[in-house]
Amino acid sequence: VSIKKGDNLIMSPIRYSQIKGAIPLSAGEDYTLLAESCTKTEAESQPSIYGQPRYAGGTDFNIAANESKTIKVNCSMANAAFCIVKDESFYYPKFTVTATLNGRSLTFTDEGLMGYFNVGENGTAVLSYHVTATDSEGRPGSGSGKIELKARTLSRLHLKATDLGYIGIEITYDDTF
């Protein structure tokens, strides 16, 4: 958690468990209490390179002289999740999807792996992906594109085979994630 007065940080980020007792503040001032489950850097690097969900939120408050107050902060997922789904029609036994955003690339070679990406202040970011695959006879296939990631949303890249045998891609968004 951290506390700001306007644009000034008056309490540097500290783990909630490390706060001992009350935090003294000046009466009659407007403050913002900020909370986050991890930093943006940790969200993209821990517990592995694929990252983790990052929950964040803030609440404005003020305090009167000699007042003690408990402030509650509602947090929501601040980053975006990305995964691969392989359709039954996708007959390529080996595939690689490389997802890149802001110089950070993640490689997916199977379903079930989730990657987390930070998004901009507006809650979105554009991710580039490149798919390469080899069918059972050794013939290669590939495809590339871009998708918009959104905070609080799981973006699924569905890999399919087209009627002509090419790689087909469909994007779905799940904001109930």
Side-chain angles (χ1 to χ4, degrees), residues 98-158:
T98 303
T100 305
L101 178 64
N102 295 329
R104 176 174 171 248
S105 293
L106 297 180
T107 301
F108 298 82
T109 57
D110 201 357
E111 296 178 282
L113 191 57
M114 190 98 53
Y116 295 91
F117 291 90
N118 291 324
V119 295
E121 293 299 319
N122 66 352
T124 66
V126 177
L127 176 131
S128 299
Y129 64 86
H130 182 72
V131 181
T132 57
T134 305
D135 69 14
S136 56
E137 296 177 12
R139 293 179 297 212
S142 65
S144 296
K146 296 180 184 296
I147 64 171
E148 182 180 51
L149 297 182
K150 302 171 188 173
R152 297 175 298 285
T153 302
L154 167 60
S155 299
R156 291 185 179 97
L157 185 73
H158 295 265

Side-chain angles (χ1 to χ4, degrees), residues 25-32 59-65 67 69 71:
L25 299 171
S26 300
E29 301 286 343
D30 292 325
Y31 298 97
T32 302
T59 299
D60 295 332
F61 69 98
N62 67 29
I63 194 120
E67 180 183 29
K69 188 182 271 190
I71 308 298

Side-chain angles (χ1 to χ4, degrees), residues 3-18:
I3 298 176
K4 291 176 87 176
K5 184 166 85 171
D7 290 334
N8 298 321
L9 189 64
I10 62 164
M11 185 180 92
S12 295
I14 184 172
R15 297 211 180 273
Y16 181 75
S17 61
Q18 295 174 326

